[in-house]
């Protein structure tokens, strides 16, 4: 399921006419609370950030599935850990969704 969700979210980020499904988005967001396992968390984060900054992103959908709050938490977490590039990408994604940046 996770591989399919990542693929669908990446596809949605490159095709403006294709919206990401709430289930796929929710599945990837659920990976943010889990420890890294064989790169799945990193891949989920990359797919989510690609979608959030794409023209396919829908702020209403991101709010509905808890994605904005998850991105805000991820931005804070990565900034605290000193992972500057990822923190910047999270802030960029939040800006694309019309939200205030964390940093």
């Amino acid at each position: 399921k996770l591989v399919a969700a990542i693929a669908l979210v990446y596809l949605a980020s490159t095709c403006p006419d294709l919206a990401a499904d709430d289930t796929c988005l929710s599945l990837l967001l659920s990976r943010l609370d889990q420890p890294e396992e064989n790169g799945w968390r990193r891949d989920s984060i990359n797919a989510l950030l690609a979608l959030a900054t794409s023209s396919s992103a829908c702020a209403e959908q991101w709010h509905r599935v808890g994605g904005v709050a998850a991105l805000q938490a991820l931005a804070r977490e990565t900034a605290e850990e000193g992972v500057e590039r990822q923190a910047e990408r999270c802030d960029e994604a939040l800006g694309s969704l019309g939200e205030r940046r964390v940093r």
Side-chain angles (χ1 to χ4, degrees):
K1 287 183 188 179
L2 186 58
V3 173
I6 289 171
L8 288 172
V9 167
Y10 269 125
L11 183 61
S13 74
T14 60
C15 299
D17 297 339
L18 180 64
D21 179 81
D22 282 4
T23 304
C24 291
L25 195 52
S26 295
L27 178 61
L28 295 187
L29 289 165
S30 73
R31 298 299 300 179
L32 298 181
D33 293 335
Q34 298 179 15
E36 183 63 69
E37 179 184 316
N38 299 325
W40 289 116
R41 184 175 190 266
R42 182 191 65 243
D43 291 344
S44 297
I45 290 169
N46 288 333
L48 288 166
L49 293 175
L51 179 62
T53 56
S54 74
S55 60
S56 300
C58 173
E60 180 183 320
Q61 178 187 33
W62 280 77
H63 279 284
R64 185 173 57 243
V65 298
V68 170
L71 282 179
Q72 289 168 333
L74 181 62
R76 283 189 296 276
E77 173 190 321
T78 54
E80 289 170 5
E81 292 174 356
V83 185
E84 289 299 316
R85 181 63 189 127
Q86 185 167 314
E88 290 170 9
R89 289 181 66 209
C90 289
D91 273 347
E92 181 182 326
L94 288 166
S96 293
L97 293 170
E99 295 297 317
R100 280 185 334 151
R101 295 171 185 251
V102 172
R103 306 172 338 131

